[in-house]
Amino acid sequence: MIYGYGEFIDISDNNMITDHEMKQRLLNRFPQLDECSFDITHKWIGTMGYTIDGYPIIGKLSGSCYICGGYNGDGMPIAFNSGRIIAKLLTGQIHKFLERVSPLRFVK
């Protein structure tokens, strides 16, 4: 089972949620699991980057420095297309979506 409960947790000082806490959250969300025996075998906590306008930041910053980030919780699906956009930039092509996701849109 893959489960994300979309909660902000302070992970400073290695304050990761315990298996017991995660199991309780799963049981609260899916009471039917109380009839099953299960163990937490893997867990992951990560930083989620959000942008003001809801669009990711993809493009050239300066020199040979490029950025892909701010996926607003939709990281993996957007990351694949971000790679395509960066590949076009590196080969001198312009992607039609580039203006909307450019890091320069925040510079005034």
Side-chain angles (χ1 to χ4, degrees):
M1 170 186 277
I2 297 174
Y3 173 66
Y5 49 86
E7 183 177 320
F8 293 101
I9 298 173
D10 178 13
I11 60 170
S12 60
D13 298 323
N14 227 2
N15 187 19
M16 195 166 194
I17 187 169
T18 67
D19 290 354
H20 177 75
E21 290 171 311
M22 184 175 284
K23 202 168 195 175
Q24 284 307 121
R25 290 169 190 253
L26 281 166
L27 289 169
N28 288 342
R29 180 69 62 124
F30 304 105
Q32 309 87 322
L33 290 175
D34 196 29
E35 301 170 11
C36 306
S37 174
F38 67 95
D39 295 316
I40 306 295
T41 59
H42 296 79
K43 58 187 170 189
W44 173 86
I45 289 180
T47 302
M48 295 179 59
Y50 292 89
T51 60
I52 294 169
D53 60 6
Y55 289 104
I57 301 169
I58 307 167
K60 186 174 185 172
L61 292 176
S62 66
S64 61
C65 184
Y66 292 80
I67 185 171
C68 293
Y71 297 142
N72 301 291
D74 296 319
M76 291 309 293
I78 295 175
F80 297 119
N81 284 321
S82 298
R84 289 186 182 112
I85 293 171
I86 292 294
K88 285 188 177 281
L89 281 173
L90 291 171
T91 58
Q93 302 173 51
I94 302 296
H95 190 280
K96 64 182 178 183
F97 196 54
L98 185 60
E99 188 174 317
R100 181 174 284 168
V101 297
S102 171
L104 300 178
R105 71 187 189 271
F106 299 114
V107 178
K108 299 227 182 215

